[in-house]
Amino acid sequence: MERTVGIDAIGVHVPGYTLPLDDLARARGVPVEKVRIGLGAHEMAVAPPWEDAVTLGANAALRLLADGSLAAEEVGLLLVATETAVDHAKPVGIFLHELLGLPASCRTVELKHACYGGTAGLVLAASWLRSGEAGGRKALVVATDIARYEVGSSAEFTQGAGAAALAVAEAPRLLALDPASGVYARNVYDFWRPLDRREALVDGKFSVDCYLDALDGALADWRTRGGTAADLTTAVAALLYHTPFPKMAQKAHARLVAHELARLGHSEVDVDAEAARSFAALVEPSLGVSRLVGNTYTASLYLCLAWLLEREGRRLEGRRLGLFSYGSGCCAEFFTARPVPGSAARAARIGAQALLQARRLLTVPEYEEFARAGAGAERPAEGGAGFCHLAGIEDHKRRYARSWEAA
Ligand code: CAA
């Protein structure tokens, strides 16, 4: 019999600073409505110089250890997904291995395929568990990123920072993964970051087209691998999309609805009206975090999931969710999962909402100062929530300080 595997617990982290995008729009001479309505974005999280992919990921994972959802000695596999790593050779995961106090026998590796890396980690961890190799241990998948574009570019409004840590286990207490999964991969130059650059390069409009084509491809593949033949908009209780900015999820949903109507032969139905009708119920409930945090690359889909389960876990118990992950370059995957009965109480403790409420608002000059600063400045006393921070860089070696001790 196939083992039931999935997400046992989710820990999240965002930096303690946020920039209202209305202020950024005014400073750049861009109409406020273009950002608020055209992109659907309201604020973006800003990482201070003492946060990087290591601290964001460690802070998300340490939350799981601190609230007892996961014990360090249970972890047999650590997969860290990021496209904003701190070194070309030394993986983010090995810093986390130390900061979390994981066992020496825990295998660790970093995964990269733009924003798709988090999902790659989740499906690889699920395969490890299904194979029986885990031997009763759990996997920890950490998706952690800082989205940075050129100051003054149109993509500047779609930055953000954050991390999600997924404890993946047999008989999960939060979300059971369905086995069927649809994949689409194709070599495209829609978004990339050459090795010597801190900020990403992007062919913005082309990236949107690549995302939508990949959604079609992943859905088609999913159908050949056991995905339900029923109309997805009625077969699931929620649809979650990789969300670089909330309007992208709206475009993705319209494409999914068009895909389903064409497949089911309903050429007479108005796609836009149909997509608008189901968007509020199926997609909007997961988007609040993206509106207030911005793009978090590998973590985006999983922050949306955490937000949805924390707020609506009871309504969703036992019902199916559809999840679409897109990574530029590109690779994409569509899969489904079910919040397990009894998971709502656990989900209510994720704490994403409280983290967002505790952030300090930045002014545009303060944000620009952070954007100019290199990594490693000293953390002030009010330096944001979290259990660890970057304490310094000497001789190209990073040193992290941890304020959390295992009980
Ligand atoms: N009032 C209301 N809406 C307005 C407006 C106004 N005054 N002025 C413009 N708009 C609307 C436009 O009509 C447009 O809406 P539609 O797309 O629905 O037509 C929207 O605002 C955006 O305006 P533009 O088309 O002029 O776009 P832009 O030049 O500002 O660029 C962007 C937008 C391409 C997303 C850019 O921000 C960007 O390059 N971002 C980074 C790339 C990205 O996020 N790509 C997403 C797909 S790839 C991916 O998902 C991977 C990843 O994470 C990077």
Side-chain angles (χ1 to χ4, degrees), residues 30-39 83 114-115 149 153-158 190-191 202-211 242-245 247-248 251 295-297 300 326-328:
V30 168
V32 165
E33 304 73 35
K34 177 178 173 186
V35 179
R36 195 163 262 276
I37 299 163
L39 298 178
E83 53 187 292
C115 309
Y149 299 96
S153 69
S154 66
E156 187 182 16
F157 296 94
T158 63
D190 61 332
F191 164 103
V202 64
D203 186 343
K205 304 267 189 322
F206 181 54
S207 73
V208 170
D209 291 342
C210 290
Y211 177 122
H242 167 61
T243 308
F245 51 94
K247 185 75 166 288
M248 188 68 234
K251 290 176 190 285
N295 197 356
T296 53
Y297 292 161
S300 163
Y326 175 75
S328 287

Side-chain angles (χ1 to χ4, degrees), residues 65 70-76 97 100-103 106 138 140 404 406:
L65 302 191
L70 179 70
E73 57 275 14
E74 295 178 294
V75 183
H97 191 280
L100 305 179
L102 299 184
C106 171
K138 295 177 181 173
L140 179 59
W404 178 82

Side-chain angles (χ1 to χ4, degrees), residues 222-305:
W222 179 69
R223 284 261 149 57
T224 69
R225 294 178 198 285
T228 176
D231 179 353
L232 258 176
T233 61
T234 53
V236 298
L239 281 162
L240 295 98
Y241 299 95
H242 167 61
T243 308
F245 51 94
K247 185 75 166 288
M248 188 68 234
Q250 205 173 324
K251 290 176 190 285
H253 187 60
R255 179 64 76 96
L256 179 139
V257 168
H259 183 102
E260 291 301 80
L261 290 173
R263 186 178 63 84
L264 297 166
H266 295 312
S267 52
E268 76 291 355
V269 177
D270 178 337
V271 173
D272 289 341
E274 187 56 24
R277 189 192 58 74
S278 52
F279 179 80
L282 294 179
V283 187
E284 181 61 43
S286 67
L287 293 182
V289 68
S290 305
R291 270 191 225 298
L292 298 174
V293 169
N295 197 356
T296 53
Y297 292 161
T298 53
S300 163
L301 181 63
Y302 300 98
L303 286 180
C304 289
L305 177 66

